[in-house]
Amino acid sequence: MKVIIASDYDDLVQKAFEIVKGTVTSNPHAVLGLATGQTPIALYRLMVEDHKRCGTSYKKVRTFNLDEYKGLSADNPQSYAYYMRKNLFDRIDIDPNNTYIENGAAEDADSECKRYNIVLSEFARDIQLLGLGSNGHIAFNEPHSPFDGETHVVKLAESTLQDNSYLFGDVRRVPTHAYTMGIKQIMAAKRILILASGQHKADAVRELICGNVTESFPASVLQLHTDCTLIIDEAAGSKILTLPPHEISAI
Ligand code: GLP
């Protein structure tokens, strides 16, 4: 795993932006795996600004999102589909038909998972963007999710409900279940770019880099990917910056 330490959040998203822009400009047909949450918001802002100022085009780009709350339709302002349109898709020239995400309002969850597995299998992702859950989740693959899993419905961990409750005002309003891309599918991306910012991610970052590869900390699987870049800011890296190099097993 390659680790890049940025000075702060702005520097982190700038570095991530350069990698994503490089992927799109070197291949106009690039397939991007995208993430939601707080961390990539300013990255998407940079992509929008760059599109407007420099004309970087997404006309032929395809995107696949990681996850969606079960029960929320795409027009619900708290859905990840809505988040993606608001923060990125409505502000660049991407064809909405080329943006894929699980349908949170699907009638039949099994069929929805199968549908997403099929579209995912049709397009190899050039890069997969990831955030890091404070409990080590990637997408909504909570601790003890199988490393060979595909798209499935997951019951969200209590800590995840708490972490994401800021979006819903009250933890009791956070949907208890979600669709998520499986770890096997995340690992199938040619390149992975994982971002973590802030002191509250410092323990998870340390575990990601120094811990054992185990399903009890799903992000640890990334140690096995052949082209994974982790970008952290100094706050998120505060528990690894003092470690002797031999303890940083994954670097
Ligand atoms: C959320 C989402 C993930 C996201 C991660 C980190 O629960 N399901 O897709 O990457 O947790 O979120 P944040 O960037 O807000 O810390």
Side-chain angles (χ1 to χ4, degrees):
M1 187 183 304
K2 181 176 175 193
V3 181
I4 298 174
I5 300 171
S7 53
D8 57 18
Y9 177 67
D10 287 346
D11 188 30
L12 181 157
V13 290
Q14 182 61 37
K15 286 176 162 60
F17 164 69
E18 281 157 21
I19 292 171
V20 174
K21 177 167 172 164
T23 306
V24 172
T25 51
S26 65
N27 175 14
H29 291 88
V31 181
L32 311 179
L34 298 179
T36 49
Q38 296 256 58
T39 316
I41 283 186
L43 164 62
Y44 296 147
R45 198 179 309 132
L46 290 177
M47 290 166 70
V48 169
E49 281 167 17
D50 169 73
H51 164 70
K52 292 197 190 319
R53 217 182 18 239
C54 305
T56 302
S57 177
Y58 294 81
K59 273 199 174 113
K60 295 171 186 161
V61 166
R62 285 177 197 273
T63 66
F64 285 87
N65 265 83
L66 289 167
D67 43 20
E68 179 61 284
Y69 288 109
K70 187 166 186 291
L72 300 193
S73 63
D75 56 5
N76 185 314
Q78 283 148 334
S79 70
Y80 285 159
Y82 188 96
Y83 165 115
M84 288 308 306
R85 291 200 307 278
K86 184 176 72 130
N87 288 295
L88 187 65
F89 299 153
D90 285 354
R91 304 165 72 194
I92 56 176
D93 61 347
I94 198 163
D95 178 348
N97 293 319
N98 289 342
T99 66
Y100 303 87
I101 186 166
E102 298 96 330
N103 175 7
E107 296 262 307
D108 178 353
D110 284 345
S111 314
E112 178 55 16
C113 293
K114 282 189 193 126
R115 180 195 71 81
Y116 207 55
N117 285 337
I118 290 169
V119 281
L120 270 170
S121 70
E122 286 168 355
F123 300 98
R125 274 152 295 139
D126 296 292
I127 192 163
Q128 176 65 59
L129 183 65
L130 291 177
L132 176 63
S134 57
N135 65 354
H137 73 223
I138 45 176
F140 269 137
N141 291 282
E142 300 284 25
H144 308 292
S145 299
F147 282 169
D148 61 356
E150 298 192 323
T151 309
H152 62 286
V153 173
V154 63
K155 183 178 187 325
L156 299 177
E158 200 54 46
S159 62
T160 301
L161 299 177
Q162 289 291 348
D163 287 351
N164 291 353
S165 60
Y166 70 94
L167 290 167
F168 295 85
D170 184 326
V171 71
R172 287 169 299 185
R173 294 210 192 100
V174 186
T176 54
H177 291 73
Y179 289 93
T180 185
M181 191 187 288
I183 291 178
K184 184 170 98 180
Q185 293 158 321
I186 291 173
M187 290 293 279
K190 292 178 202 160
R191 183 173 188 189
I192 290 181
L193 179 59
I194 176 162
L195 311 179
S197 168
Q199 184 69 37
H200 62 298
K201 297 289 174 77
D203 285 323
V205 165
R206 183 186 163 112
E207 196 61 27
L208 164 61
I209 296 176
C210 308
N212 295 327
V213 176
T214 162
E215 289 177 351
S216 61
F217 192 85
S220 64
V221 74
L222 301 174
Q223 292 181 26
L224 306 179
H225 197 279
T226 52
D227 190 358
C228 178
T229 302
L230 166 68
I231 311 183
I232 52 178
D233 56 18
E234 286 182 7
S238 57
K239 300 236 169 123
I240 58 160
L241 295 176
T242 52
L243 286 176
H246 67 271
E247 285 194 28
I248 306 180
S249 60
I251 299 179

